[in-house]
Amino acid sequence: PLYSSAASDVYKRQGYGYKIYERERLIIVQPFIPVVSGKRPFQSVQDAQCIGNLVLERIKAGNEFAISKADLDNLGVVY
């Protein structure tokens, strides 16, 4: 595929983040929950994957891919 996403653990297992790839080139590294103050990683790999996949869908569609607190709430991401 042209684009892909992957969740990963960050900071010695203190939480999770996500990465977005264009083919094999890393284009986004997001170790923290976007739009939340402070540097807080996602609490679960599922939350990281969920937001990473949303970003990926938006990139594929050619849309703005910034995440809002409403996105986090709508997807049930704990922050």
Side-chain angles (χ1 to χ4, degrees):
L2 180 58
Y3 293 101
S4 62
S5 70
S8 61
D9 57 343
V10 294
Y11 296 112
K12 296 182 173 68
R13 300 243 181 236
Q14 291 182 10
Y16 299 89
Y18 63 85
K19 298 175 182 178
I20 305 289
Y21 295 86
E22 181 180 22
R23 291 194 169 87
E24 294 163 10
R25 184 173 64 102
L26 181 62
I27 59 172
I28 296 174
V29 176
Q30 185 64 53
F32 307 113
I33 302 172
V35 80
V36 174
S37 62
K39 294 181 176 181
R40 289 192 277 175
F42 291 93
Q43 293 182 21
S44 73
V45 68
Q46 293 84 4
D47 285 352
Q49 285 176 330
C50 189
I51 296 300
N53 288 339
L54 178 60
V55 170
L56 183 61
E57 288 173 19
R58 290 177 177 175
I59 289 171
K60 286 180 177 179
N63 296 330
E64 172 59 45
F65 56 86
I67 297 297
S68 68
K69 283 192 176 180
D71 292 325
L72 298 176
D73 292 338
N74 290 338
L75 294 171
V77 173
V78 176
Y79 59 93

